[in-house]
Amino acid sequence: MHKVTFHDHKPKTLSLHDAVLDGLSREDKRIPPKFFYDARGSKLFERICEQPEYYPPSVECDMLGGLADEIAQLAGRGRLLIEPGAGSAAKVRLLLDALRPAAFVPMDISFDFLKSAATQLAGEYPWLPVHATCVDFSHSLPVPEAAPDAPRLLFFPGSSLGNFDRAEAGAFLSRVRDTIGSDGMLLIGVDTKKDEAVLNAAYNDAAGITAEFNRNLIHRMRRELDLQVDPDTFEHKAFYNAEAGRIEMHLVSREPQHIELDGKRFRLAEGESLHTENSYKYAPEEFLSMAAGCGLQPLRYWLDEQRLFAIYLLRVADI
Ligand code: AVJ
């Protein structure tokens, strides 16, 4: 009925099992944030986006809604629109009528989530071919061969770039440049540096949804790896690290405990933390100089009135 095709590239990526084994073996224990997003974690993230303290989605959506025509004028219609980490693909809906892409390639790490989001979207936009691609976008950006050969526009909203450290962000932007090619464009939303109280509140919502999202890692370890570990023994901790220019999220063990995996015992002291996420914030000049270093130059960029969030439209620089 609708034009949806599915492409699964998932098996190539690091498994939760390997990430936990590696992450718990380190002195500074850590689990990469992409493991938040199973079906439950993706739903919890959707709920974070509804919390009043978590300003990025509402600010970005207001901006995108108002900018859609201007963006379409600058980028032109009929592009192949690619969105890594599309999730429920809510934001792209603000652009589709104005941009009239030749096709849409949503990419996401959670197959179930991607599948329902892509099917739903194709139902709402019958004119839009959808090539849903299940992939870890931090690893590669595989555009399906079946997708039309049109100039590309890669849409990367939500400040997802913030999860990469600076070197990884640079590597990602360079990969984006290679993926979109010489006539390609990038439309990216990036959270700005601002009053620390605003940042801290955004990751410590009063309803405790971010805390539950953070603890979802422990739920996954129980469910998928059969580990004997109680999510309630971990406390959510999130704070702005000004020196590093990032929000850090941790799960802090409330008590001494150990976790066993593959016959290995990992000890956690009381107060010891599992570092689960970094979310880097960029002043516009910082982001633009990083992008320039990756061969991307701005066509235009926008900030909301309070400078809470920035949206950049960039093109591939001439060489
Ligand atoms: C999806 C990475 C942009 O860093 O703000 C939200 C994830 N973590 N609340 C962010 C997140 C806790 C989010 N990103």
Side-chain angles (χ1 to χ4, degrees):
M1 183 178 71
H2 304 297
K3 290 184 224 155
V4 198
T5 58
F6 292 97
H7 310 266
D8 198 347
H9 294 264
K10 206 176 173 188
K12 287 181 200 145
T13 71
L14 181 73
S15 68
L16 177 67
H17 175 278
D18 295 352
V20 170
L21 207 55
D22 171 66
L24 293 184
S25 304
R26 295 167 185 252
E27 195 170 336
D28 293 311
K29 297 184 173 51
R30 59 177 198 104
I31 313 275
K34 63 187 171 195
F35 293 104
F36 287 135
Y37 302 94
D38 64 346
R40 178 174 183 266
S42 298
K43 275 187 203 125
L44 283 166
F45 182 66
E46 297 281 282
R47 287 182 61 199
I48 288 176
C49 292
E50 292 160 8
Q51 301 310 304
E53 298 93 336
Y54 192 67
Y55 60 86
S58 54
V59 175
E60 188 179 33
C61 286
D62 282 352
M63 292 175 77
L64 283 174
L67 293 171
D69 288 329
E70 192 177 345
I71 292 166
Q73 253 164 40
L74 290 163
R77 294 177 157 215
R79 285 183 175 258
L80 179 66
L81 185 60
I82 304 163
E83 185 181 353
S88 62
K91 285 172 192 159
V92 80
R93 286 169 163 79
L94 300 165
L95 301 174
L96 287 174
D97 288 324
L99 280 177
R100 275 274 162 172
F104 179 50
V105 180
M107 298 178 174
D108 204 88
I109 196 166
S110 170
F111 185 80
D112 295 339
F113 207 73
L114 176 72
K115 197 175 165 186
S116 69
T119 310
Q120 170 93 27
L121 187 81
E124 286 169 42
Y125 296 84
W127 52 268
L128 182 69
V130 177
H131 298 271
T133 304
C134 188
V135 68
D136 173 359
F137 68 74
S138 63
H139 185 82
S140 66
L141 296 169
V143 177
E145 285 194 14
D149 185 19
R152 295 174 174 184
L153 172 61
L154 192 134
F155 179 46
F156 199 52
S159 206
S160 298
L161 189 77
N163 269 169
F164 296 125
D165 67 28
R166 280 164 215 283
E168 290 166 340
F172 177 77
L173 291 175
S174 299
R175 190 175 320 118
V176 166
R177 186 205 52 217
D178 294 345
T179 301
I180 60 183
S182 56
D183 56 359
M185 289 188 190
L186 166 64
L187 179 65
I188 182 169
V190 184
D191 201 8
T192 60
K193 288 190 164 147
K194 60 181 65 67
D195 181 358
E196 292 187 21
V198 175
L199 286 168
N200 285 325
Y203 294 82
N204 290 283
D205 62 276
I209 312 297
T210 306
E212 203 46 39
F213 172 75
N214 199 2
R215 275 191 289 266
N216 189 47
L217 281 173
I218 310 293
H219 286 270
R220 286 195 73 182
M221 285 159 64
R222 282 171 61 90
R223 231 180 308 116
E224 294 174 40
L225 307 177
D226 258 332
L227 301 192
Q228 309 252 321
V229 53
D230 177 359
D232 290 338
T233 60
F234 287 91
E235 194 172 342
H236 166 74
K237 184 174 162 193
F239 60 91
Y240 186 63
N241 175 340
E243 206 182 316
R246 69 191 188 205
I247 285 280
E248 292 185 15
M249 293 219 309
H250 297 260
L251 287 167
V252 181
S253 184
R254 296 184 209 265
E255 54 195 51
Q257 57 180 310
H258 40 257
I259 298 175
E260 265 188 59
L261 176 58
D262 281 359
K264 295 196 180 74
R265 266 166 88 91
F266 300 101
R267 215 185 85 79
L268 274 152
E270 180 182 342
E272 188 173 349
S273 95
L274 213 60
H275 191 164
T276 53
E277 183 166 45
N278 287 322
S279 185
Y280 285 83
K281 310 300 170 186
Y282 292 93
E285 56 278 14
E286 283 178 308
F287 173 75
L288 288 171
S289 87
M290 180 168 73
C294 302
L296 295 164
Q297 55 181 228
L299 275 169
R300 199 161 299 177
Y301 71 95
W302 305 268
L303 288 146
D304 65 295
E305 232 164 68
Q306 297 181 71
R307 302 179 72 85
L308 292 172
F309 202 84
I311 294 175
Y312 304 84
L313 181 64
L314 306 116
R315 67 176 189 87
V316 173
D318 303 317
I319 21 163

